[in-house]
Amino acid sequence: MSIIQKSILLLLTGLSLISYEIAAQRNKPVKLSLADQIILVSNFSDLNNHLEKEVLSFDQLLKNKVRGFIIRLILDTDSAKVKMVIPNREIISLSATLSGLQKFLDNNPGEVITLFLDYNFPFFYLESEFKNNQLFNRIFVLGDDGNWPVTNNMALKGHQLICFNIQRNQDSPPGFYHIWDYAVEPHFSVAIDPEFHGSFLKGKPSNPFMFFNGFNLPRDTAGMEMPFLKMHINENPFLISHLINLWKKTGKKPNFIVRNQYHPVIEGIIFNLNSHKSIGGNVTYNLQPLSNVSWQGTNHGFSSGHYSFPFLAGEDVFLTPVKPGFRFIPEKISIENVENNIIQNFIALPLDLNHNLAAYYPFENNFKDMGSAKNNGQNNGVTFVNDPERGYVACFKDETFLKIASAEELGIYNNDFTVSAWIKTVEPPFERGDVSILGSEEAIYRQGLHLQLRNSKPYFGFYANDLTGNSEISHNEWVHIVWRYTKNTGEQAIFINGRADKVSYKHPSFMGRSTIFVGKSIGMHNYMNGFIDDLAIWKRPLGNEEIWKLYQEVLPLIQPTSSQLTGYFFLLVLLPALIFFGYIIWIKFIRIRFQKNNKQIQYLQVTYNEKNIPDSNCIRLFGEFQVFDRDGNDISAQFTPKVRQLFIVILLYSIKSRRGVSSDEINQMLWFGHTKKNATNNRGVNMSKLRQVLQLFDGIRVDNQTENWSFSMNRNVLFCDYCEVQTLLKNKSLMTNQAILANFFSLVERGPLLMDSEEPWLDEFKGFMSSEVIDTLLKYSTYLKPDNESETILRICDRIFLSDPFSEEALEIKILTLLKNNQANQAKYTYQWFCENYEKAFDIQYNRPFDQFAEKQDNKN
């Protein structure tokens, strides 16, 4: 038997084993985790219940199978007790409610109750309430794997309470989770079949739970009656149909259904939803969930890596996952007359960049199509020039253009497609409204293709079925543009320099069949005036990662020859087989773990005012390192640890000195102990990565002169809180101008400089900044009046404690301010917190009694 035959046999064996594994998955009994439950939640508070208010008591709701409660809590500072604000806005004791809850759980050991807690005071008080009612040890705490188990298993282990915080409370321990880190809330819709394109009102699409609050909204401003106000299942199927369709669209079961007022019909709705069978599982790439998957077949929806879709018993189920840039194993499933729930996992494999490449014109001093179809261009006056950045490129001016092939031959007609090109225009934008890159001549609805610049912005047109981009394209600069159409979702998307610029859905496909031209479109005087390089067309939508790599030019587009394919045969056969076997081993023996670090905050909770902080093109070094690109996206995670260190080193030294930091200094700080060659290589690799990330910002670039590295920054464009603070510290009016001090405080309130970084070379910067901040804030506090500016004073003290938890000046100011405002219990709590930290740190007791503070305040009064 030849090697090729053996390879094919190995591949077929792998496929057989996977088919066996898939069949085994479908026959497994399905156990419902919390993400597969549907729970009725009572809005047992005064939050958002303007018209409907709950009239039943907490105990009555428990008897009516309500298993979730939204509760608003406040702190009675006089008694240091936690109170509840119930629907009629009456304030009652939380302890009495928890006592009743404890009795219910004792009498119903198999039940699990979910609480959604809205509070804004130190967790210490809430913890006491739970412990006093023997409930604290019943609270479920996520394991290291981050998975939510079957609720029956929770109850068997005595974990009968699940607690979510509605507000983000920094001092909450494990077991009290911010709801929008784990759930999503869909956009409100009165449509029986709501549209969904992958985004939610709150929460990330990858979060496991759906929080549905849509039945609580009153009539709209026009007085129209919402279709769900009539609670009658038989006469008003909207209630059920809306939720089922939402489930189908999002791939998420409506786990928490919130009602302001209990109605027995809601039990029938939940019973009906639970009567539906479901198909669910995971879509993974490299053993990690794959986000933003769209589906064809039974449900035309979007989902995250974990999905669930409903169907009626006896239905035929057809399901095909789709995501640009990937293929799937299995490619699709088709099951007839299904009676049971199904678990079905899919593995995603990246497509080769050449897959379905319809045409590729590198313009290397000719018009040849280097793709397999060989649609060579027919020239009409286009010339070539040797560009200093890109080599030979096609030059278009006046009325020159290139004729290539028909839309059908290129795979654009009624199909997915992607067009990519490097362009450089040579005229100011105002001289010509439309500048065509690729298109056809028809001016007919959905038959006139025009991929172009319109008024200097990228434009994606099928004629009267178009999309305008966001970015303004500068002339005389090379820009990479991609136009992507996805038929399954009707998505038109424009990418500029590897990043999505504008995305829109529900666009019907392009239906033109005629000839496609390069450099002109739709029969108007909108010819290209400039240069085009590396024009490529695909008969499929490229994935986001593929487009990024295309912009970075790290993957070749030239198709391999037949002789090369012979050499690649073994890789093409053996690699998929190895992936198949690896999948079987992993799926059987390894649980995928998603670890979430829950940091214990040892300081008092800090809130801060960010009115003067921009939300885009922004670098924030005070508190945790955080950066936002020019579009307002938080891209902090794109800075790998070494790239982040390199960025911070150059930034801090650029501000400290005009010369910046030398290569040798960088090597010593970041690659101490490495050989000079190894350190230099590492620096070069990470510097290249840093330059790529900096392309997401405006107003900053890396400069290198005589082996010294620095940043050139336009501070009118790019915001950096550290730069602003350094400027204010040099302002002679800082200590005498209350407005400047207030601005200074808004910049530093998030926390100490780079509080999540501990590198030794940072100590010099951190130490200096810490002392400057403390001195400045202590001065600021003297300008404020405890009577009407107490909140700001308290925030200043809490910020000082973040830099120096043993600051006696801050302790005295905070306690006196609290006493001045009749908050004696909070003052005692602050004093107790300080004493405990002091004793732990120095192993001696703090020697100033609390009474001295009280006496000092009495003397002031």
Side-chain angles (χ1 to χ4, degrees):
M1 183 181 293
S2 69
I3 294 177
I4 292 179
Q5 289 173 320
K6 288 180 180 178
S7 300
I8 293 173
L9 180 60
L10 183 64
L11 177 60
L12 292 174
T13 303
L15 287 170
S16 299
L17 287 171
I18 280 196
S19 299
Y20 174 81
E21 177 66 24
I22 290 170
Q25 287 179 29
R26 293 175 183 163
N27 293 323
K28 287 179 182 177
V30 177
K31 295 182 179 181
L32 298 179
S33 69
L34 186 64
D36 296 310
Q37 302 284 322
I38 299 177
I39 297 169
L40 176 57
V41 178
S42 168
N43 183 11
F44 199 69
S45 74
D46 64 333
L47 299 168
N48 303 319
N49 62 356
H50 307 296
L51 294 183
E52 291 184 321
K53 292 181 172 61
E54 186 56 71
V55 295
L56 300 181
S57 69
F58 196 91
D59 292 338
Q60 289 172 323
L61 291 168
L62 285 171
K63 291 178 182 178
N64 282 292
K65 299 182 181 179
V66 175
R67 294 298 177 260
F69 295 88
I70 296 175
I71 299 175
R72 186 160 82 87
L73 305 173
I74 59 174
L75 179 65
D76 184 343
T77 54
D78 292 332
S79 64
K81 296 293 184 183
V82 180
K83 305 288 188 179
M84 288 175 56
V85 183
I86 60 176
N88 63 6
R89 298 192 176 179
E90 181 183 349
I91 297 175
I92 66 172
S93 168
L94 173 64
S95 182
T97 302
L98 294 182
S99 177
L101 180 59
Q102 182 222 346
K103 292 177 183 177
F104 175 83
L105 295 177
D106 286 342
N107 296 329
N108 299 273
E111 294 283 3
V112 174
I113 303 297
T114 304
L115 301 180
F116 302 89
L117 305 170
D118 182 38
Y119 68 96
N120 188 20
F121 50 79
F123 179 77
F124 167 84
Y125 297 100
L126 188 59
E127 180 181 4
S128 298
E129 297 284 356
F130 276 92
K131 286 182 175 179
N132 291 340
N133 289 280
Q134 289 78 51
L135 289 174
F136 196 76
N137 292 332
R138 298 194 188 194
I139 295 171
F140 171 75
V141 178
L142 276 172
D144 292 338
D145 58 5
N147 292 329
W148 295 83
V150 176
T151 49
N152 290 343
N153 293 344
M154 290 185 191
L156 287 174
K157 295 179 180 180
H159 300 147
Q160 293 178 268
L161 272 183
I162 300 170
C163 294
F164 290 106
N165 294 334
I166 293 178
Q167 300 186 48
R168 189 177 294 280
N169 303 94
Q170 298 293 345
D171 65 341
S172 297
F176 289 78
Y177 303 108
H178 183 52
I179 181 62
W180 304 123
D181 288 338
Y182 296 90
V184 294
E185 181 177 347
H187 293 278
F188 174 69
S189 172
V190 295
I192 197 168
D193 188 5
E195 290 190 0
F196 179 71
H197 301 304
S199 65
F200 289 91
L201 176 65
K202 297 178 183 176
K204 296 180 180 178
S206 56
N207 292 347
F209 309 123
M210 181 186 287
F211 185 91
F212 183 78
N213 198 26
F215 289 164
N216 285 323
L217 295 184
R219 303 177 186 211
D220 68 5
T221 54
M224 181 184 73
E225 184 173 339
M226 296 300 183
F228 48 74
L229 291 179
K230 186 176 181 180
M231 296 290 287
H232 195 299
I233 296 176
N234 296 331
E235 296 182 10
N236 187 0
F238 174 91
L239 295 167
I240 295 174
S241 300
H242 180 80
L243 282 171
I244 291 174
N245 288 329
L246 190 65
W247 184 0
K248 288 180 177 181
K249 294 288 186 182
T250 64
K252 291 183 189 294
K253 187 175 284 191
N255 306 106
F256 303 111
I257 298 178
V258 182
R259 283 290 297 165
N260 283 341
Q261 188 178 87
Y262 173 80
H263 194 293
V265 169
I266 202 70
E267 292 183 34
I269 293 172
I270 293 177
F271 176 82
N272 187 289
L273 293 172
N274 281 323
S275 70
H276 284 69
K277 303 301 179 183
S278 67
I279 176 169
N282 295 293
V283 184
T284 57
Y285 170 56
N286 282 342
L287 301 177
Q288 299 296 318
L290 189 68
S291 61
N292 298 323
V293 179
S294 61
W295 298 84
Q296 294 177 341
T298 304
N299 303 294
H300 291 278
F302 281 84
S303 79
S304 59
H306 177 79
Y307 75 94
S308 169
F309 292 120
F311 61 87
L312 292 171
E315 238 185 310
D316 297 340
V317 175
F318 308 93
L319 211 56
T320 303
V322 178
K323 184 175 175 68
F326 291 92
R327 63 186 180 90
F328 295 88
I329 299 176
E331 182 180 344
K332 58 184 176 181
I333 64 157
S334 175
I335 313 172
E336 296 181 357
N337 193 22
V338 185
E339 296 292 340
N340 299 310
N341 293 326
I342 302 171
I343 295 177
Q344 175 65 62
N345 294 318
F346 293 87
I347 310 170
L349 298 174
L351 294 170
D352 185 87
L353 187 59
N354 290 312
H355 180 71
N356 278 349
L357 180 66
Y360 172 47
Y361 303 93
F363 297 133
E364 290 296 331
N365 211 15
N366 61 58
F367 300 106
K368 291 183 178 179
D369 172 14
M370 301 304 292
S372 58
K374 303 301 179 185
N375 292 307
N376 296 331
Q378 299 178 29
N379 185 26
N380 186 11
V382 181
T383 59
F384 294 97
V385 298
N386 197 342
D387 183 81
E389 292 184 45
R390 303 199 55 82
Y392 278 107
V393 298
C395 176
F396 296 77
K397 58 183 177 179
D398 300 326
E399 297 185 358
T400 60
F401 60 88
L402 189 67
K403 178 181 177 182
I404 47 177
S406 72
E408 284 187 292
E409 291 174 308
L410 294 171
I412 293 175
Y413 165 75
N414 196 25
N415 191 30
D416 305 316
F417 68 85
T418 304
V419 175
S420 164
W422 285 90
I423 70 164
K424 181 168 74 170
T425 58
V426 296
E427 60 182 4
F430 55 80
E431 289 191 6
R432 182 172 294 179
D434 287 355
V435 177
S436 295
I437 315 302
L438 190 86
S440 63
E441 292 186 318
E442 284 77 11
I444 302 171
Y445 173 65
R446 293 177 60 191
Q447 295 183 42
L449 184 68
H450 44 298
L451 310 183
Q452 61 185 33
L453 303 183
R454 173 164 289 180
N455 299 321
S456 301
K457 292 186 176 181
Y459 197 82
F460 195 155
F462 295 167
Y463 203 85
N465 177 19
D466 304 344
L467 176 68
T468 303
N470 291 319
S471 299
E472 187 165 312
I473 306 301
S474 301
H475 65 287
N476 291 322
E477 292 181 9
W478 281 105
V479 178
H480 184 247
I481 305 184
V482 170
W483 295 266
R484 179 179 76 189
Y485 178 71
T486 308
K487 185 178 177 181
N488 182 47
T489 59
E491 178 207 64
Q492 286 183 349
I494 299 171
F495 291 76
I496 303 296
N497 290 339
R499 299 287 177 180
D501 182 68
K502 187 72 173 288
V503 179
S504 178
Y505 296 92
K506 296 296 182 182
H507 291 269
S509 60
F510 173 67
M511 297 301 291
R513 299 173 183 266
S514 61
T515 302
I516 300 298
F517 299 90
V518 181
K520 75 168 186 175
S521 63
I522 56 175
M524 302 179 187
H525 295 289
N526 53 1
Y527 295 92
M528 174 65 178
N529 190 11
F531 308 95
I532 300 179
D533 192 27
D534 280 339
L535 173 69
I537 304 170
W538 286 263
K539 294 183 286 187
R540 68 176 178 91
L542 293 188
N544 289 19
E545 185 68 20
E546 288 181 297
I547 293 171
W548 174 252
K549 290 178 179 178
L550 197 64
Y551 163 62
Q552 295 293 323
E553 299 185 297
V554 297
L555 294 176
L557 275 175
I558 304 298
Q559 294 276 25
T561 63
S562 57
S563 60
Q564 289 173 319
L565 287 173
T566 304
Y568 294 154
F569 177 79
F570 296 108
L571 284 177
L572 294 173
V573 172
L574 290 177
L575 185 58
L578 291 173
I579 293 172
F580 297 154
F581 284 123
Y583 165 71
I584 295 169
I585 294 171
W586 280 90
I587 204 70
K588 283 181 174 292
F589 301 113
I590 295 179
R591 294 179 68 188
I592 302 173
R593 297 193 172 195
F594 304 97
Q595 296 183 342
K596 182 167 183 154
N597 296 324
N598 292 306
K599 295 183 178 179
Q600 297 295 324
I601 306 300
Q602 297 180 352
Y603 303 114
L604 291 176
Q605 181 181 351
V606 176
T607 59
Y608 50 91
N609 181 358
E610 299 180 307
K611 290 182 180 178
N612 299 321
I613 310 296
D615 55 8
S616 62
N617 220 50
C618 172
I619 300 167
R620 307 182 70 174
L621 302 188
F622 284 93
E624 295 183 345
F625 176 83
Q626 192 174 34
V627 288
F628 297 88
D629 66 11
R630 63 172 64 90
D631 297 321
N633 301 310
D634 186 342
I635 60 167
S636 309
Q638 294 195 31
F639 285 78
T640 63
K642 278 299 178 188
V643 171
R644 183 170 84 163
Q645 290 176 19
L646 182 61
F647 174 74
I648 292 170
V649 166
I650 299 176
L651 179 60
L652 295 182
Y653 278 88
S654 297
I655 296 169
K656 180 181 179 182
S657 168
R658 285 187 177 183
R659 78 172 184 88
V661 59
S662 70
S663 297
D664 288 340
E665 288 172 323
I666 292 175
N667 291 350
Q668 284 294 313
M669 284 185 277
L670 304 190
W671 290 281
F672 179 78
H674 290 236
T675 65
K676 184 173 182 179
K677 181 179 179 180
N678 186 281
T680 301
N681 288 339
N682 276 303
R683 190 187 70 240
V685 170
N686 284 279
M687 193 68 74
S688 177
K689 293 178 181 178
L690 176 59
R691 290 181 189 275
Q692 291 180 15
V693 177
L694 292 182
Q695 292 178 11
L696 305 178
F697 298 91
D698 293 325
I700 184 171
R701 73 171 188 269
V702 183
D703 289 337
N704 178 235
Q705 294 181 354
T706 62
E707 284 300 298
N708 285 322
W709 299 87
S710 63
F711 285 139
S712 291
M713 298 171 59
N714 182 347
R715 289 175 54 182
N716 294 323
V717 175
L718 179 73
F719 177 89
C720 174
D721 57 3
Y722 182 77
C723 295
E724 299 299 321
V725 167
Q726 289 283 17
T727 300
L728 291 178
L729 287 174
K730 296 174 184 177
N731 190 328
K732 294 180 180 180
S733 302
L734 174 62
M735 289 300 191
T736 58
N737 188 310
Q738 189 173 345
I740 299 177
L741 284 167
N743 185 28
F744 179 92
F745 179 46
S746 70
L747 293 168
V748 303
E749 192 178 4
R750 290 180 73 232
L753 180 66
L754 293 165
M755 64 186 297
D756 54 345
S757 301
E758 299 295 338
E759 290 77 18
W761 51 267
L762 275 173
D763 290 346
E764 172 191 353
F765 296 93
K766 285 189 168 189
F768 170 81
M769 187 54 65
S770 178
S771 61
E772 291 289 329
V773 166
I774 291 173
D775 290 342
T776 305
L777 294 184
L778 287 173
K779 182 65 176 178
Y780 182 31
S781 68
T782 64
Y783 286 90
L784 303 175
K785 298 178 181 179
D787 293 324
N788 53 15
E789 295 175 300
S790 61
E791 181 183 350
T792 303
I793 295 174
L794 296 177
R795 285 163 46 207
I796 288 172
C797 294
D798 287 344
R799 170 58 182 88
I800 293 173
F801 283 140
L802 288 177
S803 292
D804 180 10
F806 311 111
S807 171
E808 295 186 50
E809 296 93 335
L811 176 66
E812 177 173 311
I813 294 169
K814 182 167 185 177
I815 289 178
L816 294 181
T817 302
L818 290 169
L819 292 174
K820 176 70 175 177
N821 289 274
N822 299 317
Q823 294 179 277
N825 287 311
Q826 186 65 32
K828 290 177 181 178
Y829 168 76
T830 301
Y831 176 81
Q832 180 184 0
W833 164 85
F834 184 93
C835 292
E836 290 175 355
N837 274 359
Y838 192 95
E839 186 172 356
K840 287 178 183 177
F842 303 110
D843 202 25
I844 58 173
Q845 291 186 347
Y846 183 58
N847 59 8
R848 185 178 180 183
F850 180 82
D851 292 340
Q852 286 189 11
F853 296 99
E855 290 173 4
K856 188 168 184 176
Q857 182 58 41
D858 290 338
N859 293 333
K860 283 189 173 185
N861 293 335

